[in-house]
Amino acid sequence: TVRPFNEIPGMWKNSIGNLYTFWKLNGFKNIHHIMVHNFNTFGPIYREKIGYYESVNIINPEDAAILFKAEGHYPKRLRVEPWTSYRDFRNRKYGVLLKGGEDWRSNRVILNREVISPKVQGNFVPLLDEVGQDFVARVRKKIERSGQNKWTTDLSHELFKYALESVSAVLYGERLGLLLDYIDPDAQHFIDCITLMFKTTWPMLYIPPSMLRRMGAKTWKDHVDAWDGIFNQADHCIQNIYRQLRKESGGQNKYPGVLASLLMLDRLSVEEIKASVTELMAGGVDTTSITLLWTLYELARHPDLQEELGAEVIAARTASQGDTMQMLKMVPLLKGALKETLRLHPVAVSLQRYITQDVVIQNYHIPSGALVQLGLYAMGRDYRIFPRPEQYLPSRWLRNESHYFRSLGFGFGPRQCLGRRIAETEMQLFLIHMLENFKIEKQRQVEVRSTFELILIPEKPILLTIKPL
Ligand code: HEM
Ligand code: 2DC
């Protein structure tokens, strides 16, 4: 017999007490570890209430399948209040990230065609390939200038620029030139604003932003400044393309970028296009760059694997005879490596949905309307789900073990990551170019852990040494 909702184990009765304990444990920066701990204490399902936010937490792939089958036609995630509050405060439109209901769906369907459908990947590849080549040239220059035939650095700043250059190339169909010696202060400011925006989001997940606003709290002010900077810079880029488009009467057969395609398609209002393109530009920086940093970190820790991947890339290069699209179909182990990175170092600590029908999970009844969270970080590190979870083994994604609801780094279904195709292509091409040209090494073998700043990021800088092959 199915057990009632109220019998699900967990600490969901004293929400203010929980908030206090959470704060004392530095839980905000450690959400991912606390979730692992809770699954160890309560088992594969538990209820929790921290501040105003109540959820049912699950960890098993089979339960994730039940969750996503109950997500309904307009899948809804946990609302990130500070992000919607900023837009309400400044009277800006929500983009696809924050919209809901039919408004979300109709926008998303149109965006899907230009951003994530398989037919557009061919347009992105030449642009992203060029950015990858420029990155290699930049690293070579740095190595030369060092006079030591190697370059030791915290690559994160370079990776932020690589990611912004990549996503901008795809969105605007033209290069910003961020990988040149001259650093455009506006671009650097944009990057800094995104970091600040994430940093100032998490404190407001549990304390209503409206309250912090009335109190004149610094977190709220910084958050507003950060989004202002993001919107101003995106506006600037969008205006540029808009003006160009009105001057030229089309005619060229060069791919014009996502923004121009959307404007010419004329199925969304200019305001709606602006809102979503801004989100895409902002969403495209820290996510891919940090995933690439973690991947390089793992490659540095596994020299044999690095060689194996290098060999796969060289073989694919030869066999594809200069056809880059073709080449991307011939690097399964490299794709496995990216899945493995997202398993151990996911960007999102959890996936969440408000379910739209009653379900039974782990023999408990869960009513329609409940917020159900899949602990993505915890799932990736559970030995019952991934044998030897602590080992970085890209080949596990090639074997015929079950992959059923196990590769969820980009989310699932119609509400999954809209930038997925861009992110995957950009990251694959980056690694291809790096593996063809360099060897990555690491100083000491110290384990770097994750810390939560809305997205999960390395808790301390990762120093890598890059040598020419
Ligand atoms: C949503 C992960 C890169 C834009 C999401 C979600 C996840 C995610 C987990 C929520 C999905 C769900 O609820 O099912 C990642 C990871 C990335 C990445 C791991 C890179 C490694 C990007 C990039 C962009 C982007 C490059 C923009 C170009 C978005 C947008 C949404 C989203 C707009 C909201 C979609 C919607 O609500 O309809 N991402 N993302 N992401 N991501 Fe990404
Ligand atoms: C953070 O408890 C933890 O892809 C919360 O590119 C639940 C939660 C809700 C939504 C998630 C968020 C977490 C992590 C960051 C995500 C976000 C949805 C989209 C966003 C996963 C798990 C992200 C990084 C987007 C951001 C685009 C934005 C900058 C315009």
Side-chain angles (χ1 to χ4, degrees):
T1 62
V2 176
R3 300 168 69 181
F5 191 51
N6 280 349
E7 282 179 21
I8 298 177
M11 314 213 294
W12 47 273
K13 284 181 181 138
N14 182 358
S15 65
I16 297 298
N18 290 345
L19 186 59
Y20 179 68
T21 321
F22 202 62
W23 174 70
K24 263 202 327 202
L25 287 171
N26 200 10
F28 300 111
K29 309 242 79 186
N30 268 314
I31 287 190
H32 49 306
H33 294 132
I34 292 196
M35 286 180 88
V36 170
H37 174 83
N38 285 339
F39 285 117
N40 286 336
T41 311
F42 298 121
I45 185 167
Y46 69 88
R47 268 177 83 178
E48 176 182 64
K49 187 166 184 186
I50 302 169
Y52 57 79
Y53 137 55
E54 171 164 9
S55 64
V56 177
N57 292 268
I58 59 172
I59 188 170
N60 285 328
E62 293 70 23
D63 298 340
I66 301 174
L67 162 62
F68 286 113
K69 271 172 203 138
E71 70 175 3
H73 289 302
Y74 308 115
K76 196 170 149 215
R77 282 191 287 271
L78 180 86
R79 192 176 145 94
V80 182
E81 286 284 340
W83 297 355
T84 50
S85 291
Y86 167 81
R87 284 152 180 83
D88 298 345
F89 177 62
R90 283 283 193 242
N91 235 322
R92 295 190 193 272
K93 261 188 132 48
Y94 293 1
V96 74
L97 171 74
L98 302 173
K99 281 181 189 286
E102 187 50 41
D103 188 26
W104 165 77
R105 207 197 58 87
S106 59
N107 275 251
R108 173 86 199 211
V109 166
I110 295 165
L111 289 164
N112 280 346
R113 274 197 19 187
E114 303 301 325
V115 184
I116 198 175
S117 80
K119 73 157 193 172
V120 292
Q121 199 189 22
N123 297 327
F124 299 165
V125 164
L127 287 161
L128 294 172
D129 197 35
E130 198 185 281
V131 183
Q133 285 168 15
D134 288 358
F135 192 84
V136 168
R138 181 165 172 83
V139 173
R140 285 210 183 280
K141 224 185 246 172
K142 295 277 186 186
I143 292 175
E144 231 163 74
R145 282 184 200 156
S146 76
Q148 296 177 307
N149 205 33
K150 64 180 184 190
W151 183 35
T152 300
T153 185
D154 167 8
L155 252 197
S156 58
H157 307 285
E158 296 297 328
L159 290 170
F160 285 147
K161 286 193 282 179
Y162 171 78
L164 179 55
E165 183 75 26
S166 295
V167 75
S168 306
V170 167
L171 291 177
Y172 307 123
E174 57 184 34
R175 297 291 304 274
L176 296 183
L178 302 179
L179 301 176
L180 305 172
D181 277 331
Y182 166 77
I183 305 168
D184 176 8
D186 289 342
Q188 190 55 56
H189 181 64
F190 182 77
I191 291 172
D192 296 340
C193 282
I194 296 175
T195 308
L196 182 64
M197 181 277 291
F198 280 127
K199 243 195 211 317
T200 51
T201 299
W202 65 263
M204 292 190 274
L205 280 181
Y206 306 94
I207 307 161
S210 56
M211 192 167 121
L212 291 171
R213 201 177 88 200
R214 278 196 301 275
M215 288 161 53
K218 184 171 183 326
T219 308
W220 169 254
K221 285 187 186 146
D222 287 349
H223 195 66
V224 169
D225 287 346
W227 276 121
D228 281 346
I230 292 169
F231 273 91
N232 287 340
Q233 180 65 10
D235 246 22
H236 185 80
C237 296
I238 294 169
Q239 283 306 328
N240 239 354
I241 298 297
Y242 194 66
R243 232 177 288 129
Q244 278 179 34
L245 211 61
R246 286 176 38 179
K247 257 190 273 163
E248 296 159 12
S249 45
Q252 301 129 312
N253 31 18
K254 185 174 142 275
Y255 173 65
V258 168
L259 172 61
S261 303
L262 288 169
L263 288 168
M264 291 186 296
L265 193 65
D266 199 26
R267 287 188 51 196
L268 294 174
S269 73
V270 176
E271 287 310 306
E272 277 174 327
I273 294 175
K274 273 187 173 177
S276 283
V277 167
T278 303
E279 288 173 358
L280 285 169
M281 194 179 170
V285 180
D286 296 37
T287 46
T288 47
S289 53
I290 284 164
T291 306
L292 285 174
L293 184 61
W294 282 121
T295 307
L296 295 177
Y297 163 82
E298 293 292 357
L299 296 186
R301 297 206 303 168
H302 302 90
D304 294 348
L305 171 68
Q306 199 176 138
E307 265 184 40
E308 200 183 334
L309 285 166
E312 182 186 71
V313 167
I314 287 166
R317 175 74 73 195
T318 312
S320 60
Q321 299 180 315
D323 180 346
T324 313
M325 271 296 273
Q326 199 53 39
M327 185 178 179
L328 292 179
K329 295 186 182 129
M330 304 168 98
V331 287
L333 192 63
L334 187 83
K335 291 178 182 172
L338 283 167
K339 285 190 184 164
E340 198 62 348
T341 301
L342 288 175
R343 175 180 71 81
L344 283 168
H345 314 284
V347 169
V349 63
S350 71
L351 303 175
Q352 336 78 38
R353 293 291 186 265
Y354 290 89
I355 53 172
T356 58
Q357 61 193 71
D358 290 23
V359 295
V360 174
I361 295 181
Q362 295 291 328
N363 210 32
Y364 289 103
H365 173 252
I366 304 171
S368 172
L371 175 65
V372 182
Q373 257 199 121
L374 170 72
L376 200 58
Y377 178 93
M379 180 178 99
R381 288 167 184 257
D382 192 304
Y383 67 92
R384 281 154 295 202
I385 305 166
F386 296 98
R388 301 171 187 247
E390 69 292 344
Q391 292 187 15
Y392 187 82
L393 291 174
S395 60
R396 71 167 88 232
W397 298 100
L398 307 183
R399 289 198 288 265
N400 43 19
E401 291 169 16
S402 171
H403 303 149
Y404 184 69
F405 281 91
R406 278 165 175 75
S407 173
L408 293 173
F410 290 99
F412 182 82
R415 189 111 216 191
Q416 70 177 280
C417 177
L418 177 60
R420 179 177 193 157
R421 193 81 53 198
I422 298 174
E424 286 174 341
T425 312
E426 168 191 333
M427 295 194 297
Q428 288 161 12
L429 286 168
F430 176 93
L431 292 173
I432 284 174
H433 287 296
M434 289 302 279
L435 287 161
E436 278 181 313
N437 288 280
F438 307 111
K439 188 169 163 45
I440 317 292
E441 291 173 2
K442 215 178 139 298
Q443 255 51 4
R444 278 164 292 119
Q445 289 288 8
V446 275
E447 190 81 24
V448 180
R449 311 208 320 161
S450 293
T451 188
F452 176 78
E453 280 194 359
L454 201 79
I455 55 173
L456 292 171
I457 62 171
E459 62 172 349
K460 58 181 181 226
I462 295 176
L463 279 187
L464 297 170
T465 299
I466 311 178
K467 295 180 176 167
L469 263 187

